[in-house]
Short mmCIF file of all heavy atoms in Angstrom, two decimals:
data_model
loop_
_atom_site.label_atom_id
_atom_site.label_comp_id
_atom_site.label_asym_id
_atom_site.label_seq_id
_atom_site.Cartn_x
_atom_site.Cartn_y
_atom_site.Cartn_z
N MET A 1 -7.90 10.78 5.42
CA MET A 1 -7.86 9.81 4.32
C MET A 1 -7.61 8.44 4.93
O MET A 1 -6.99 8.28 5.92
CB MET A 1 -6.70 10.22 3.40
CG MET A 1 -6.81 9.64 1.98
SD MET A 1 -8.32 10.20 1.21
CE MET A 1 -8.35 9.11 -0.24
N SER A 2 -8.14 7.44 4.22
CA SER A 2 -8.03 6.13 4.86
C SER A 2 -6.83 5.32 4.27
O SER A 2 -6.37 5.58 3.16
CB SER A 2 -9.30 5.34 4.62
OG SER A 2 -9.57 5.18 3.26
N CYS A 3 -6.38 4.44 5.08
CA CYS A 3 -5.26 3.57 4.66
C CYS A 3 -5.71 2.66 3.53
O CYS A 3 -6.83 2.14 3.57
CB CYS A 3 -4.84 2.74 5.93
SG CYS A 3 -3.55 1.56 5.55
N LEU A 4 -4.83 2.50 2.56
CA LEU A 4 -5.22 1.73 1.40
C LEU A 4 -5.10 0.18 1.74
O LEU A 4 -5.60 -0.66 1.01
CB LEU A 4 -4.28 1.97 0.23
CG LEU A 4 -4.38 3.43 -0.31
CD1 LEU A 4 -3.22 3.73 -1.24
CD2 LEU A 4 -5.73 3.63 -0.96
N ILE A 5 -4.51 -0.15 2.87
CA ILE A 5 -4.37 -1.56 3.26
C ILE A 5 -5.43 -1.93 4.26
O ILE A 5 -6.10 -2.92 4.03
CB ILE A 5 -2.91 -1.80 3.77
CG1 ILE A 5 -1.92 -1.61 2.64
CG2 ILE A 5 -2.83 -3.19 4.37
CD1 ILE A 5 -0.49 -1.58 3.07
N CYS A 6 -5.50 -1.22 5.36
CA CYS A 6 -6.42 -1.69 6.38
C CYS A 6 -7.70 -0.79 6.53
O CYS A 6 -8.56 -1.06 7.34
CB CYS A 6 -5.68 -1.68 7.76
SG CYS A 6 -5.32 0.00 8.45
N ALA A 7 -7.75 0.31 5.72
CA ALA A 7 -8.88 1.22 5.71
C ALA A 7 -9.10 2.02 7.03
O ALA A 7 -10.04 2.67 7.19
CB ALA A 7 -10.18 0.49 5.36
N GLY A 8 -8.07 1.96 7.86
CA GLY A 8 -8.14 2.80 9.12
C GLY A 8 -7.65 4.24 8.73
O GLY A 8 -7.29 4.48 7.64
N PRO A 9 -7.75 5.12 9.72
CA PRO A 9 -7.32 6.48 9.48
C PRO A 9 -5.86 6.58 9.23
O PRO A 9 -5.04 5.99 9.93
CB PRO A 9 -7.69 7.24 10.76
CG PRO A 9 -7.91 6.17 11.80
CD PRO A 9 -8.21 4.87 11.11
N ALA A 10 -5.45 7.32 8.14
CA ALA A 10 -4.06 7.41 7.81
C ALA A 10 -3.76 8.81 7.28
O ALA A 10 -4.65 9.52 6.80
CB ALA A 10 -3.68 6.39 6.71
N GLU A 11 -2.54 9.20 7.42
CA GLU A 11 -2.09 10.50 6.89
C GLU A 11 -1.84 10.39 5.38
O GLU A 11 -1.18 9.43 4.97
CB GLU A 11 -0.80 10.86 7.62
CG GLU A 11 -0.34 12.27 7.40
CD GLU A 11 0.99 12.51 8.25
OE1 GLU A 11 1.24 11.76 9.20
OE2 GLU A 11 1.64 13.48 7.90
N GLN A 12 -2.34 11.29 4.65
CA GLN A 12 -2.16 11.28 3.17
C GLN A 12 -1.11 12.33 2.79
O GLN A 12 -1.13 13.43 3.31
CB GLN A 12 -3.43 11.57 2.41
CG GLN A 12 -3.21 11.40 0.89
CD GLN A 12 -4.53 11.66 0.17
OE1 GLN A 12 -5.51 12.16 0.73
NE2 GLN A 12 -4.56 11.28 -1.13
N PHE A 13 -0.27 12.00 1.86
CA PHE A 13 0.76 12.89 1.37
C PHE A 13 0.38 13.28 -0.06
O PHE A 13 -0.33 12.55 -0.73
CB PHE A 13 2.11 12.22 1.38
CG PHE A 13 2.61 11.96 2.74
CD1 PHE A 13 2.15 10.85 3.50
CD2 PHE A 13 3.56 12.76 3.37
CE1 PHE A 13 2.58 10.63 4.79
CE2 PHE A 13 4.03 12.55 4.62
CZ PHE A 13 3.54 11.47 5.32
N PRO A 14 0.89 14.43 -0.56
CA PRO A 14 0.62 14.78 -1.91
C PRO A 14 1.17 13.70 -2.86
O PRO A 14 2.20 13.09 -2.58
CB PRO A 14 1.42 16.09 -2.12
CG PRO A 14 1.68 16.59 -0.78
CD PRO A 14 1.71 15.38 0.15
N SER A 15 0.39 13.32 -3.87
CA SER A 15 0.83 12.24 -4.76
C SER A 15 2.12 12.63 -5.44
O SER A 15 2.29 13.74 -5.88
CB SER A 15 -0.29 11.96 -5.78
OG SER A 15 -1.43 11.50 -5.13
N VAL A 16 3.00 11.69 -5.52
CA VAL A 16 4.26 11.86 -6.28
C VAL A 16 4.17 11.01 -7.50
O VAL A 16 4.02 9.78 -7.44
CB VAL A 16 5.45 11.38 -5.38
CG1 VAL A 16 6.72 11.59 -6.13
CG2 VAL A 16 5.46 12.06 -4.08
N ALA A 17 4.22 11.69 -8.67
CA ALA A 17 4.08 11.01 -9.94
C ALA A 17 2.89 10.06 -9.93
O ALA A 17 1.77 10.54 -9.75
CB ALA A 17 5.38 10.26 -10.30
N ASP A 18 3.05 8.79 -10.08
CA ASP A 18 1.98 7.85 -10.16
C ASP A 18 1.76 7.05 -8.89
O ASP A 18 1.24 5.94 -8.95
CB ASP A 18 2.16 6.88 -11.33
CG ASP A 18 2.29 7.65 -12.62
OD1 ASP A 18 1.56 8.64 -12.78
OD2 ASP A 18 3.08 7.25 -13.50
N TRP A 19 2.18 7.67 -7.77
CA TRP A 19 2.05 6.91 -6.50
C TRP A 19 1.13 7.55 -5.51
O TRP A 19 1.06 8.73 -5.40
CB TRP A 19 3.44 6.84 -5.87
CG TRP A 19 4.41 6.07 -6.70
CD1 TRP A 19 5.29 6.63 -7.63
CD2 TRP A 19 4.65 4.69 -6.77
NE1 TRP A 19 6.03 5.64 -8.22
CE2 TRP A 19 5.66 4.43 -7.71
CE3 TRP A 19 4.07 3.60 -6.07
CZ2 TRP A 19 6.12 3.16 -8.01
CZ3 TRP A 19 4.49 2.35 -6.38
CH2 TRP A 19 5.55 2.13 -7.34
N GLU A 20 0.40 6.71 -4.79
CA GLU A 20 -0.40 7.19 -3.63
C GLU A 20 0.39 6.88 -2.44
O GLU A 20 0.89 5.79 -2.18
CB GLU A 20 -1.73 6.30 -3.56
CG GLU A 20 -2.73 6.64 -4.67
CD GLU A 20 -3.43 7.94 -4.49
OE1 GLU A 20 -3.51 8.39 -3.35
OE2 GLU A 20 -3.93 8.46 -5.51
N GLU A 21 0.55 7.91 -1.60
CA GLU A 21 1.35 7.76 -0.40
C GLU A 21 0.53 7.90 0.85
O GLU A 21 -0.31 8.80 0.97
CB GLU A 21 2.49 8.84 -0.44
CG GLU A 21 3.51 8.70 0.71
CD GLU A 21 4.68 9.61 0.52
OE1 GLU A 21 4.96 10.15 -0.64
OE2 GLU A 21 5.45 9.81 1.50
N ARG A 22 0.74 6.98 1.80
CA ARG A 22 0.01 7.00 3.07
C ARG A 22 0.99 6.71 4.23
O ARG A 22 1.97 6.01 4.09
CB ARG A 22 -1.07 5.95 3.09
CG ARG A 22 -2.15 6.10 2.06
CD ARG A 22 -3.13 7.19 2.43
NE ARG A 22 -4.30 7.09 1.55
CZ ARG A 22 -4.36 7.52 0.30
NH1 ARG A 22 -3.22 8.07 -0.22
NH2 ARG A 22 -5.44 7.46 -0.42
N LYS A 23 0.59 7.26 5.42
CA LYS A 23 1.31 6.89 6.62
C LYS A 23 0.24 6.46 7.58
O LYS A 23 -0.53 7.30 8.10
CB LYS A 23 2.08 8.08 7.12
CG LYS A 23 3.06 7.70 8.23
CD LYS A 23 3.97 8.92 8.50
CE LYS A 23 5.14 8.58 9.45
NZ LYS A 23 5.94 9.77 9.70
N CYS A 24 0.24 5.17 7.89
CA CYS A 24 -0.80 4.63 8.77
C CYS A 24 -0.16 4.21 10.08
O CYS A 24 0.94 3.67 10.08
CB CYS A 24 -1.41 3.38 8.06
SG CYS A 24 -2.52 2.40 9.11
N PRO A 25 -0.80 4.50 11.20
CA PRO A 25 -0.23 4.14 12.48
C PRO A 25 0.03 2.63 12.64
O PRO A 25 0.94 2.22 13.33
CB PRO A 25 -1.22 4.63 13.50
CG PRO A 25 -2.30 5.32 12.78
CD PRO A 25 -2.12 5.19 11.34
N LYS A 26 -0.75 1.85 11.94
CA LYS A 26 -0.60 0.39 12.04
C LYS A 26 0.16 -0.23 10.87
O LYS A 26 0.94 -1.18 11.10
CB LYS A 26 -1.97 -0.22 12.13
CG LYS A 26 -2.70 0.11 13.44
CD LYS A 26 -4.04 -0.55 13.50
CE LYS A 26 -4.70 -0.22 14.80
NZ LYS A 26 -6.17 -0.51 14.78
N CYS A 27 0.10 0.30 9.68
CA CYS A 27 0.70 -0.33 8.52
C CYS A 27 2.05 0.39 8.21
O CYS A 27 2.88 -0.15 7.50
CB CYS A 27 -0.15 -0.27 7.30
SG CYS A 27 -1.78 -1.04 7.51
N GLY A 28 2.21 1.62 8.70
CA GLY A 28 3.46 2.34 8.48
C GLY A 28 3.34 3.21 7.25
O GLY A 28 2.24 3.46 6.68
N HIS A 29 4.50 3.68 6.82
CA HIS A 29 4.60 4.62 5.70
C HIS A 29 4.87 3.87 4.43
O HIS A 29 5.75 3.01 4.38
CB HIS A 29 5.78 5.60 6.04
CG HIS A 29 5.78 6.82 5.17
ND1 HIS A 29 6.60 7.84 5.48
CD2 HIS A 29 5.05 7.18 4.13
CE1 HIS A 29 6.39 8.84 4.54
NE2 HIS A 29 5.43 8.45 3.72
N TYR A 30 4.07 4.07 3.39
CA TYR A 30 4.28 3.27 2.14
C TYR A 30 3.69 4.03 0.97
O TYR A 30 2.97 5.04 1.13
CB TYR A 30 3.57 1.94 2.28
CG TYR A 30 2.08 2.03 2.50
CD1 TYR A 30 1.20 2.07 1.39
CD2 TYR A 30 1.53 2.11 3.77
CE1 TYR A 30 -0.18 2.19 1.58
CE2 TYR A 30 0.18 2.28 3.95
CZ TYR A 30 -0.65 2.29 2.85
OH TYR A 30 -2.00 2.43 3.00
N ARG A 31 4.00 3.58 -0.21
CA ARG A 31 3.41 4.06 -1.45
C ARG A 31 2.85 2.92 -2.23
O ARG A 31 3.40 1.85 -2.25
CB ARG A 31 4.47 4.82 -2.30
CG ARG A 31 4.89 6.13 -1.69
CD ARG A 31 5.89 6.84 -2.61
NE ARG A 31 6.33 8.08 -1.97
CZ ARG A 31 7.45 8.69 -2.25
NH1 ARG A 31 8.30 8.17 -3.11
NH2 ARG A 31 7.79 9.83 -1.60
N VAL A 32 1.70 3.20 -2.88
CA VAL A 32 1.06 2.19 -3.74
C VAL A 32 0.87 2.86 -5.11
O VAL A 32 0.47 3.98 -5.22
CB VAL A 32 -0.30 1.75 -3.23
CG1 VAL A 32 -0.84 0.66 -4.13
CG2 VAL A 32 -0.18 1.24 -1.77
N SER A 33 1.20 2.13 -6.15
CA SER A 33 0.99 2.59 -7.56
C SER A 33 -0.46 2.94 -7.75
O SER A 33 -1.40 2.17 -7.39
CB SER A 33 1.46 1.48 -8.46
OG SER A 33 0.71 1.51 -9.65
N GLN A 34 -0.70 4.13 -8.29
CA GLN A 34 -2.08 4.56 -8.58
C GLN A 34 -2.79 3.54 -9.53
O GLN A 34 -3.97 3.27 -9.40
CB GLN A 34 -2.13 5.95 -9.16
CG GLN A 34 -1.87 7.02 -8.16
CD GLN A 34 -1.83 8.42 -8.75
OE1 GLN A 34 -1.74 8.57 -9.96
NE2 GLN A 34 -1.86 9.44 -7.91
N ALA A 35 -2.05 3.01 -10.49
CA ALA A 35 -2.60 2.06 -11.39
C ALA A 35 -3.07 0.79 -10.68
O ALA A 35 -4.13 0.23 -10.95
CB ALA A 35 -1.62 1.68 -12.48
N LEU A 36 -2.29 0.43 -9.66
CA LEU A 36 -2.72 -0.76 -8.85
C LEU A 36 -3.93 -0.48 -8.02
O LEU A 36 -4.85 -1.30 -7.93
CB LEU A 36 -1.51 -1.16 -7.95
CG LEU A 36 -1.77 -2.32 -7.03
CD1 LEU A 36 -2.18 -3.58 -7.78
CD2 LEU A 36 -0.55 -2.62 -6.12
N VAL A 37 -4.01 0.70 -7.39
CA VAL A 37 -5.19 1.11 -6.60
C VAL A 37 -6.41 1.00 -7.51
O VAL A 37 -7.45 0.45 -7.09
CB VAL A 37 -5.01 2.55 -6.03
CG1 VAL A 37 -6.28 2.96 -5.33
CG2 VAL A 37 -3.85 2.55 -5.03
N LEU A 38 -6.30 1.58 -8.68
CA LEU A 38 -7.47 1.61 -9.60
C LEU A 38 -7.84 0.17 -10.02
O LEU A 38 -9.04 -0.13 -10.06
CB LEU A 38 -7.17 2.43 -10.83
CG LEU A 38 -7.03 3.95 -10.59
CD1 LEU A 38 -6.58 4.67 -11.82
CD2 LEU A 38 -8.34 4.54 -10.04
N ALA A 39 -6.87 -0.63 -10.30
CA ALA A 39 -7.10 -2.00 -10.74
C ALA A 39 -7.80 -2.76 -9.61
O ALA A 39 -8.74 -3.58 -9.83
CB ALA A 39 -5.81 -2.72 -11.16
N LEU A 40 -7.33 -2.59 -8.40
CA LEU A 40 -7.94 -3.30 -7.26
C LEU A 40 -9.40 -2.88 -7.07
O LEU A 40 -10.26 -3.71 -6.79
CB LEU A 40 -7.11 -3.06 -5.97
CG LEU A 40 -5.71 -3.64 -5.94
CD1 LEU A 40 -5.08 -3.35 -4.60
CD2 LEU A 40 -5.74 -5.14 -6.23
N MET A 41 -9.64 -1.58 -7.16
CA MET A 41 -11.00 -1.09 -6.99
C MET A 41 -11.89 -1.62 -8.12
O MET A 41 -13.03 -2.08 -7.86
CB MET A 41 -11.07 0.47 -7.01
CG MET A 41 -10.59 1.09 -5.77
SD MET A 41 -10.98 2.84 -5.58
CE MET A 41 -10.07 3.57 -6.94
N ASP A 42 -11.33 -1.66 -9.33
CA ASP A 42 -12.08 -2.17 -10.45
C ASP A 42 -12.46 -3.61 -10.26
O ASP A 42 -13.55 -4.02 -10.67
CB ASP A 42 -11.18 -2.00 -11.70
CG ASP A 42 -11.96 -2.00 -12.96
OD1 ASP A 42 -13.00 -1.34 -13.02
OD2 ASP A 42 -11.53 -2.67 -13.92
N GLN A 43 -11.57 -4.37 -9.68
CA GLN A 43 -11.80 -5.81 -9.53
C GLN A 43 -12.42 -6.13 -8.18
O GLN A 43 -12.71 -7.32 -7.87
CB GLN A 43 -10.44 -6.58 -9.63
CG GLN A 43 -9.83 -6.44 -11.00
CD GLN A 43 -8.32 -6.75 -10.94
OE1 GLN A 43 -7.87 -7.36 -10.02
NE2 GLN A 43 -7.58 -6.28 -11.97
N GLY A 44 -12.64 -5.10 -7.36
CA GLY A 44 -13.23 -5.36 -6.03
C GLY A 44 -12.31 -6.15 -5.11
O GLY A 44 -12.77 -6.88 -4.24
N GLN A 45 -11.02 -6.00 -5.32
CA GLN A 45 -10.03 -6.72 -4.53
C GLN A 45 -9.57 -5.87 -3.36
O GLN A 45 -9.48 -4.62 -3.50
CB GLN A 45 -8.81 -7.07 -5.36
CG GLN A 45 -9.16 -7.84 -6.61
CD GLN A 45 -8.80 -9.33 -6.41
OE1 GLN A 45 -9.02 -9.85 -5.38
NE2 GLN A 45 -8.30 -9.90 -7.51
N ILE A 46 -9.19 -6.51 -2.26
CA ILE A 46 -8.59 -5.71 -1.20
C ILE A 46 -7.34 -6.45 -0.72
O ILE A 46 -7.15 -7.66 -0.91
CB ILE A 46 -9.58 -5.60 0.03
CG1 ILE A 46 -10.08 -6.97 0.47
CG2 ILE A 46 -10.69 -4.65 -0.31
CD1 ILE A 46 -10.84 -6.94 1.78
N PHE A 47 -6.44 -5.69 -0.07
CA PHE A 47 -5.23 -6.27 0.47
C PHE A 47 -5.54 -7.19 1.69
O PHE A 47 -6.45 -6.89 2.44
CB PHE A 47 -4.31 -5.13 0.97
CG PHE A 47 -3.55 -4.45 -0.19
CD1 PHE A 47 -3.90 -3.16 -0.47
CD2 PHE A 47 -2.56 -5.09 -0.83
CE1 PHE A 47 -3.19 -2.48 -1.54
CE2 PHE A 47 -1.86 -4.43 -1.86
CZ PHE A 47 -2.21 -3.15 -2.21
N ASP A 48 -4.78 -8.24 1.77
CA ASP A 48 -4.87 -9.06 2.97
C ASP A 48 -3.95 -8.31 3.99
O ASP A 48 -2.72 -8.19 3.80
CB ASP A 48 -4.26 -10.46 2.67
CG ASP A 48 -4.30 -11.37 3.88
OD1 ASP A 48 -3.57 -11.11 4.84
OD2 ASP A 48 -5.11 -12.31 3.88
N VAL A 49 -4.54 -7.80 5.05
CA VAL A 49 -3.83 -6.89 5.95
C VAL A 49 -2.58 -7.51 6.55
O VAL A 49 -1.55 -6.91 6.48
CB VAL A 49 -4.80 -6.34 7.04
CG1 VAL A 49 -4.04 -5.51 8.03
CG2 VAL A 49 -5.90 -5.51 6.39
N PRO A 50 -2.68 -8.74 7.18
CA PRO A 50 -1.45 -9.30 7.76
C PRO A 50 -0.32 -9.55 6.68
O PRO A 50 0.83 -9.29 6.97
CB PRO A 50 -1.91 -10.63 8.38
CG PRO A 50 -3.37 -10.49 8.54
CD PRO A 50 -3.85 -9.59 7.43
N LYS A 51 -0.73 -10.05 5.52
CA LYS A 51 0.28 -10.30 4.46
C LYS A 51 0.89 -9.00 3.99
O LYS A 51 2.12 -8.91 3.82
CB LYS A 51 -0.41 -10.92 3.26
CG LYS A 51 -0.61 -12.42 3.37
CD LYS A 51 -1.07 -12.98 2.03
CE LYS A 51 -2.07 -14.09 2.14
NZ LYS A 51 -2.74 -14.35 0.90
N ALA A 52 0.10 -7.95 3.79
CA ALA A 52 0.61 -6.69 3.30
C ALA A 52 1.54 -6.06 4.33
O ALA A 52 2.61 -5.51 3.99
CB ALA A 52 -0.52 -5.74 2.94
N ARG A 53 1.11 -6.13 5.63
CA ARG A 53 1.98 -5.53 6.68
C ARG A 53 3.28 -6.28 6.78
O ARG A 53 4.34 -5.66 7.00
CB ARG A 53 1.23 -5.54 7.99
CG ARG A 53 0.15 -4.48 8.09
CD ARG A 53 -0.54 -4.53 9.40
NE ARG A 53 -1.62 -3.58 9.43
CZ ARG A 53 -2.62 -3.57 10.38
NH1 ARG A 53 -2.56 -4.48 11.29
NH2 ARG A 53 -3.48 -2.66 10.34
N ALA A 54 3.27 -7.64 6.63
CA ALA A 54 4.49 -8.39 6.72
C ALA A 54 5.41 -8.05 5.57
O ALA A 54 6.63 -7.92 5.71
CB ALA A 54 4.15 -9.89 6.74
N TRP A 55 4.79 -7.87 4.37
CA TRP A 55 5.63 -7.51 3.19
C TRP A 55 6.27 -6.17 3.40
O TRP A 55 7.43 -6.00 3.10
CB TRP A 55 4.67 -7.56 1.95
CG TRP A 55 5.42 -7.34 0.68
CD1 TRP A 55 5.99 -8.29 -0.10
CD2 TRP A 55 5.70 -6.07 0.00
NE1 TRP A 55 6.59 -7.68 -1.20
CE2 TRP A 55 6.42 -6.36 -1.14
CE3 TRP A 55 5.37 -4.73 0.37
CZ2 TRP A 55 6.86 -5.34 -2.00
CZ3 TRP A 55 5.85 -3.71 -0.52
CH2 TRP A 55 6.52 -4.02 -1.67
N LEU A 56 5.45 -5.19 3.86
CA LEU A 56 6.00 -3.84 4.08
C LEU A 56 7.16 -3.91 5.14
O LEU A 56 8.19 -3.27 4.94
CB LEU A 56 4.91 -2.91 4.58
CG LEU A 56 3.89 -2.51 3.50
CD1 LEU A 56 2.71 -1.75 4.17
CD2 LEU A 56 4.52 -1.61 2.51
N ALA A 57 6.96 -4.66 6.16
CA ALA A 57 8.01 -4.74 7.22
C ALA A 57 9.29 -5.30 6.63
O ALA A 57 10.34 -4.84 6.95
CB ALA A 57 7.49 -5.60 8.37
N SER A 58 9.14 -6.33 5.77
CA SER A 58 10.34 -6.97 5.19
C SER A 58 11.05 -5.99 4.27
O SER A 58 12.25 -5.91 4.14
CB SER A 58 10.03 -8.23 4.45
OG SER A 58 9.25 -7.95 3.28
N ARG A 59 10.26 -5.16 3.54
CA ARG A 59 10.83 -4.18 2.59
C ARG A 59 11.44 -2.99 3.29
O ARG A 59 12.41 -2.43 2.79
CB ARG A 59 9.77 -3.68 1.63
CG ARG A 59 9.37 -4.64 0.60
CD ARG A 59 10.58 -5.06 -0.21
NE ARG A 59 10.30 -6.18 -1.07
CZ ARG A 59 10.21 -6.08 -2.38
NH1 ARG A 59 10.35 -4.91 -2.96
NH2 ARG A 59 9.97 -7.16 -3.10
N ARG A 60 10.96 -2.72 4.46
CA ARG A 60 11.44 -1.51 5.20
C ARG A 60 12.87 -1.67 5.61
O ARG A 60 13.56 -0.69 6.00
CB ARG A 60 10.52 -1.27 6.38
CG ARG A 60 10.26 0.19 6.57
CD ARG A 60 9.05 0.47 7.48
NE ARG A 60 7.85 0.74 6.71
CZ ARG A 60 6.69 0.12 6.88
NH1 ARG A 60 6.54 -0.74 7.78
NH2 ARG A 60 5.71 0.43 6.11
N MET A 61 13.41 -2.89 5.64
CA MET A 61 14.79 -3.09 5.98
C MET A 61 15.74 -2.48 4.90
O MET A 61 16.83 -2.09 5.19
CB MET A 61 15.15 -4.59 6.09
CG MET A 61 14.39 -5.20 7.22
SD MET A 61 14.72 -7.01 7.24
CE MET A 61 13.38 -7.60 8.17
N ASN A 62 15.22 -2.42 3.67
CA ASN A 62 16.05 -1.91 2.58
C ASN A 62 15.64 -0.53 2.10
O ASN A 62 16.44 0.21 1.54
CB ASN A 62 15.97 -2.85 1.41
CG ASN A 62 16.51 -4.23 1.75
OD1 ASN A 62 17.52 -4.36 2.40
ND2 ASN A 62 15.76 -5.25 1.37
N ALA A 63 14.38 -0.14 2.30
CA ALA A 63 13.91 1.11 1.82
C ALA A 63 13.06 1.76 2.90
O ALA A 63 12.28 1.11 3.58
CB ALA A 63 13.02 0.87 0.57
N SER A 64 13.24 3.09 3.05
CA SER A 64 12.53 3.76 4.10
C SER A 64 11.09 3.80 3.80
O SER A 64 10.23 3.69 4.69
CB SER A 64 13.10 5.20 4.33
OG SER A 64 13.08 5.88 3.10
N ILE A 65 10.70 3.96 2.53
CA ILE A 65 9.29 3.96 2.12
C ILE A 65 9.13 2.87 1.11
O ILE A 65 9.46 3.04 -0.06
CB ILE A 65 8.83 5.35 1.50
CG1 ILE A 65 9.12 6.44 2.51
CG2 ILE A 65 7.36 5.29 1.19
CD1 ILE A 65 8.83 7.82 1.99
N PRO A 66 8.52 1.71 1.49
CA PRO A 66 8.32 0.68 0.50
C PRO A 66 7.30 1.08 -0.54
O PRO A 66 6.32 1.82 -0.26
CB PRO A 66 7.77 -0.47 1.32
CG PRO A 66 8.11 -0.13 2.79
CD PRO A 66 8.13 1.34 2.82
N HIS A 67 7.49 0.63 -1.78
CA HIS A 67 6.60 0.90 -2.86
C HIS A 67 5.87 -0.38 -3.27
O HIS A 67 6.58 -1.37 -3.61
CB HIS A 67 7.35 1.45 -4.07
CG HIS A 67 7.85 2.87 -3.89
ND1 HIS A 67 8.63 3.25 -2.82
CD2 HIS A 67 7.68 3.98 -4.61
CE1 HIS A 67 8.90 4.50 -2.93
NE2 HIS A 67 8.35 4.98 -4.05
N ILE A 68 4.57 -0.38 -3.26
CA ILE A 68 3.79 -1.55 -3.72
C ILE A 68 3.40 -1.33 -5.14
O ILE A 68 2.58 -0.49 -5.47
CB ILE A 68 2.57 -1.81 -2.85
CG1 ILE A 68 2.96 -1.95 -1.39
CG2 ILE A 68 1.80 -3.06 -3.33
CD1 ILE A 68 1.81 -2.13 -0.45
N GLN A 69 3.99 -2.10 -6.05
CA GLN A 69 3.68 -1.94 -7.49
C GLN A 69 2.83 -3.10 -7.98
O GLN A 69 2.04 -2.93 -8.92
CB GLN A 69 4.97 -1.85 -8.28
CG GLN A 69 4.72 -1.45 -9.74
CD GLN A 69 5.80 -0.63 -10.29
OE1 GLN A 69 7.03 -0.77 -9.91
NE2 GLN A 69 5.54 0.25 -11.22
N THR A 70 2.94 -4.25 -7.38
CA THR A 70 2.11 -5.37 -7.72
C THR A 70 1.56 -5.99 -6.47
O THR A 70 2.26 -6.04 -5.43
CB THR A 70 2.89 -6.43 -8.53
OG1 THR A 70 2.11 -7.63 -8.60
CG2 THR A 70 4.22 -6.76 -7.87
N ALA A 71 0.27 -6.36 -6.49
CA ALA A 71 -0.36 -6.93 -5.33
C ALA A 71 -0.27 -8.42 -5.27
O ALA A 71 -0.85 -9.09 -4.44
CB ALA A 71 -1.84 -6.50 -5.31
N GLN A 72 0.54 -9.03 -6.16
CA GLN A 72 0.66 -10.44 -6.19
C GLN A 72 1.11 -10.99 -4.82
O GLN A 72 2.10 -10.57 -4.26
CB GLN A 72 1.76 -10.83 -7.25
CG GLN A 72 1.57 -12.30 -7.63
CD GLN A 72 2.43 -12.62 -8.87
OE1 GLN A 72 3.35 -11.91 -9.19
NE2 GLN A 72 2.11 -13.78 -9.47
N GLY A 73 0.32 -11.91 -4.32
CA GLY A 73 0.60 -12.53 -3.02
C GLY A 73 0.14 -11.70 -1.81
O GLY A 73 0.33 -12.14 -0.67
N LEU A 74 -0.43 -10.55 -2.10
CA LEU A 74 -0.81 -9.69 -0.99
C LEU A 74 -2.32 -9.51 -0.86
O LEU A 74 -2.82 -8.72 -0.07
CB LEU A 74 -0.18 -8.29 -1.19
CG LEU A 74 1.34 -8.25 -1.25
CD1 LEU A 74 1.85 -6.79 -1.47
CD2 LEU A 74 1.99 -8.75 0.05
N LEU A 75 -3.09 -10.24 -1.67
CA LEU A 75 -4.56 -10.07 -1.68
C LEU A 75 -5.22 -11.14 -0.87
O LEU A 75 -4.72 -12.23 -0.72
CB LEU A 75 -5.06 -10.07 -3.13
CG LEU A 75 -4.48 -8.90 -3.99
CD1 LEU A 75 -4.98 -9.08 -5.41
CD2 LEU A 75 -4.86 -7.55 -3.42
N VAL A 76 -6.48 -10.77 -0.41
CA VAL A 76 -7.26 -11.70 0.37
C VAL A 76 -7.59 -13.00 -0.42
O VAL A 76 -7.63 -14.07 0.12
CB VAL A 76 -8.58 -11.05 0.81
CG1 VAL A 76 -9.58 -12.04 1.32
CG2 VAL A 76 -8.28 -9.97 1.88
N SER A 77 -7.82 -12.81 -1.72
CA SER A 77 -8.29 -13.92 -2.52
C SER A 77 -7.19 -14.95 -2.82
O SER A 77 -7.45 -16.03 -3.42
CB SER A 77 -8.87 -13.40 -3.83
OG SER A 77 -7.92 -12.59 -4.48
N GLU A 78 -5.93 -14.63 -2.59
CA GLU A 78 -4.85 -15.55 -2.97
C GLU A 78 -4.43 -16.47 -1.83
O GLU A 78 -4.65 -16.14 -0.71
CB GLU A 78 -3.62 -14.72 -3.43
CG GLU A 78 -3.92 -13.99 -4.72
CD GLU A 78 -2.71 -13.18 -5.17
OE1 GLU A 78 -1.72 -13.80 -5.55
OE2 GLU A 78 -2.79 -11.93 -5.18
ZN1 ZN B 1 -3.22 0.77 7.67
#
């Protein structure tokens, strides 16, 4: 399965409730809201890889698995 952030090869975990979970060697372990994944696909939006990785790294100080619920500030177009 591919990473939702960088599209590289990533380990996929069984979905928990409404979350897509991935473990990417480059982006790390994270969860993304399924609604957000669908919205991004619908709009043809993709994550800005450096921004998303920096966000995940900052969140990882407080949570072992960061959850991305809103892509605000993390997209290529912003
Ligand atoms: Zn990745």
